[in-house]
Amino acid sequence: ANPATGGVLVPLKQILFNKVLDLPFEDKSYDLQLEQFCLKCSRILPQIDMQLVGVEKMIEHQPHCKSKLFPGLLQIVTSSLFSALSLMHQELSIAWKRDFPQFFYPDEFLDIADMFLSAKLLVREIQMALDNFHEIKREIHLYHNESVVRARVGAGVLADDAQVVHRGHEAASSAGKTGERLFAVMV
């Protein structure tokens, strides 16, 4: 304790360390992996969306900028987005028992406009799946907090008349490698 300020002195490393971002992904508990995934996806999805809009506008206004390789590159982007969406739906379905309608992904695109439309729709679908992950993250956090309260009530630390609402999911501990694959696709 610092007698001058009444505070506690903490080593600088402790202040700058962030358990969500500074630990290797595979060394984290599922809830921290989920938190990192949500954080990084929340940052990258708007960037992907803005870049798609920017490139589409550039091609509309300056068609000479479109190279012959561009459709193949846009196909790779849409395929990667579809893979990410499929992994997210798989994780939500298997680990959390949440089902979604199958996203229609065509075998072939009609033209560049069709590819852009599919890419934008995929970004929106990924955002909806990410919203589900945010909700699950909040529920896990709530469950952990309620578990601590129940443990303290059981130990007599809190009053016996405290009320605890149980809303946790049993699937948090059963989630497999899908989170790691999903993280690798999105990052």
Side-chain angles (χ1 to χ4, degrees):
N2 184 350
T5 61
V8 176
L9 295 176
V10 179
L12 185 60
K13 183 179 179 184
Q14 230 177 346
I15 294 171
L16 298 176
F17 181 76
N18 183 332
K19 64 183 177 182
V20 174
L21 299 175
D22 294 340
L23 289 174
F25 190 78
E26 56 278 347
D27 292 346
K28 296 176 186 167
S29 62
Y30 182 76
D31 59 323
L32 290 179
Q33 288 179 354
L34 190 60
E35 190 160 338
Q36 179 180 352
F37 176 75
C38 289
L39 176 67
K40 290 195 173 193
C41 285
S42 295
R43 291 177 179 172
I44 200 169
L45 269 180
Q47 292 176 14
I48 292 170
D49 197 30
M50 287 181 355
Q51 292 299 321
L52 284 169
V53 169
V55 170
E56 184 179 29
K57 284 182 181 179
M58 179 190 69
I59 288 177
E60 284 176 8
H61 298 296
Q62 301 170 357
H64 63 278
C65 292
K66 184 178 87 172
S67 73
K68 292 181 181 187
L69 298 175
F70 182 74
L73 294 173
L74 190 55
Q75 174 72 36
I76 291 169
V77 169
T78 57
S79 295
S80 296
L81 288 170
F82 182 68
S83 295
L85 179 64
S86 298
L87 285 170
M88 292 173 89
H89 282 178
Q90 180 183 355
E91 178 74 7
L92 289 166
S93 175
I94 293 170
W96 298 99
K97 308 295 186 236
R98 295 184 183 196
D99 291 321
F100 296 90
Q102 183 68 28
F103 183 84
F104 173 73
Y105 187 74
D107 294 330
E108 290 185 30
F109 292 99
L110 300 175
D111 55 10
I112 295 289
D114 192 31
M115 286 177 154
F116 275 116
L117 178 62
S118 293
K120 289 177 190 175
L121 290 173
L122 281 162
V123 169
R124 301 299 181 275
E125 287 288 320
I126 290 171
Q127 182 60 53
M128 289 192 305
L130 185 60
D131 291 343
N132 273 277
F133 280 112
H134 279 292
E135 181 183 327
I136 289 167
K137 184 182 73 162
R138 283 189 295 274
E139 290 176 5
I140 289 173
H141 183 70
L142 179 64
Y143 176 74
H144 286 304
N145 288 343
E146 291 169 352
S147 296
V148 169
V149 170
R150 277 195 302 285
R152 294 182 77 193
V153 168
V157 176
L158 297 176
D160 290 336
D161 61 345
Q163 297 179 356
V164 178
V165 178
H166 174 65
R167 291 184 56 217
H169 285 283
E170 60 194 34
S173 62
S174 67
K177 296 280 184 184
T178 308
E180 290 177 29
R181 290 184 310 188
L182 196 121
F183 180 73
V185 169
M186 289 302 291
V187 177

